[in-house]
Amino acid sequence: MQTDTISIEKQAGCGALVSGIDLARIDDRTADRLKQALFDHGVLFFRDQTLTRQDHLDLARRFAPIDVNRFFPADPEWPEIAKVEKTREQTSNIGGGWHTDHSYDAEPALGSILVARELPPSGGDTLFADMYAAWESLPAELQDRVRHMQAIHSTAHVFGEAGAYAGSDQSALSGSRALPESIHPVVIKHPGSGKPVLYVNPAFTTGFVGLSQEEGQELLYQLLPHAIDKSRTSTFVWEPGSVAIWDNRATWHFAKNDYHGHYRLMHRVTMAGDPLEPAFPQ
Ligand code: SIN
């Protein structure tokens, strides 16, 4: 695949649409270009792809080693591929709230590659939010308040025995004994672009070092509207052959749950990340 056939078109709100590319056949130069585009735009969207499961894994390894998700069910024959599935009977979905994957890990995942396998007739879109822009949009006083703070990222309230999934019809995701928790800077220096990014998220950030639970929740609610302002988000409408590659350090995502009675199956491969550093060391 020649790098010069590729077009990378910035989308309103968040991300870029990449065309003129066959993701199953990329060379090293193209892989480098995609990686840079991912770091710059946060999420890349592709149409009309024909990735096999093996192609999906090979593509992920172009970015980083694979980081298998602890909680999601895997494809039975391909343990490195997580199934993001909602059956006709289920009413809960996976990822139906703003989050970024694996922020609870000591070295959070670089990103994920999501491939549409079976789609409902309509609905099931995924929303993305730009966390570079979220940081830039914060009023100066709020930036000054959080610039040197650290946040706690946990899993028990989501994947634990009494967590959010346990009481739902996606309870297969819950009950793990390994329930990691980590502390990260609230504003990280993005490992690929070097730019500051707001690195907290409503799903896994459970507190801030030095703040009470109530103060932490209040701060999170103050940050939230800046992160999900319409001007900094985009909606990806899936079609057969669609693929999204997102950077977990630079974006949040949200899987819409508006297609009850229909089946949706996505394959997700997650790529290992780097240690996170503060954007503004003390
Ligand atoms: C996820 O949160 O990884 C799932 C996104 C989706 O199913 O659209």
Side-chain angles (χ1 to χ4, degrees), residues 204-242:
F204 298 119
T205 305
T206 50
F208 292 82
V209 174
L211 297 190
S212 68
Q213 196 63 30
E214 293 70 36
E215 289 168 334
Q217 280 306 310
E218 201 182 302
L219 178 55
L220 207 49
Y221 287 131
Q222 263 183 280
L223 296 169
L224 190 61
H226 297 280
I228 61 171
D229 187 276
K230 275 213 169 337
S231 64
R232 295 183 274 281
T233 61
S234 62
T235 301
F236 190 48
V237 180
W238 294 93
E239 295 168 6
S242 297

Side-chain angles (χ1 to χ4, degrees), residues 84 94-95 99 101 114 126 238 246 253 255 264 266 268:
V84 179
I94 297 176
H99 67 286
D101 306 326
L114 196 67
T126 308
W238 294 93
W246 64 80
H253 56 281
R264 181 178 184 268
M266 316 295 275
R268 197 180 93 181

Side-chain angles (χ1 to χ4, degrees), residues 135 142-151 184-187 209 278-282:
W135 165 251
L142 199 47
Q143 282 193 339
D144 287 344
R145 182 169 180 215
V146 301
R147 189 181 299 273
H148 299 300
M149 286 181 86
Q150 291 187 303
H184 300 298
V186 169
V187 193
V209 174
F280 305 104
Q282 300 235 337

Side-chain angles (χ1 to χ4, degrees), residues 86-218:
K86 183 181 172 216
T87 64
R88 283 180 212 284
E89 293 75 31
Q90 286 173 311
T91 57
S92 320
N93 72 339
I94 297 176
W98 283 111
H99 67 286
T100 189
D101 306 326
H102 298 205
S103 70
Y104 43 77
D105 280 333
E107 290 185 10
L110 178 158
S112 295
I113 304 180
L114 196 67
V115 174
R117 293 298 180 197
E118 287 195 48
L119 293 170
S122 64
D125 305 343
T126 308
L127 315 183
F128 291 89
D130 180 340
M131 290 301 113
Y132 291 124
W135 165 251
E136 282 166 17
S137 78
L138 295 185
E141 323 78 74
L142 199 47
Q143 282 193 339
D144 287 344
R145 182 169 180 215
V146 301
R147 189 181 299 273
H148 299 300
M149 286 181 86
Q150 291 187 303
I152 303 155
H153 299 252
S154 316
T155 39
H157 63 294
V158 179
F159 298 112
E161 274 175 2
Y165 283 119
S168 81
D169 55 13
Q170 292 280 0
S171 60
L173 276 72
S174 67
S176 167
R177 283 178 198 280
L179 291 166
E181 181 168 292
S182 292
I183 292 180
H184 300 298
V186 169
V187 193
I188 59 163
K189 176 178 165 186
H190 188 281
S193 69
K195 293 195 290 184
V197 195
L198 183 65
Y199 193 72
V200 291
N201 69 89
F204 298 119
T205 305
T206 50
F208 292 82
V209 174
L211 297 190
S212 68
Q213 196 63 30
E214 293 70 36
E215 289 168 334
Q217 280 306 310
E218 201 182 302

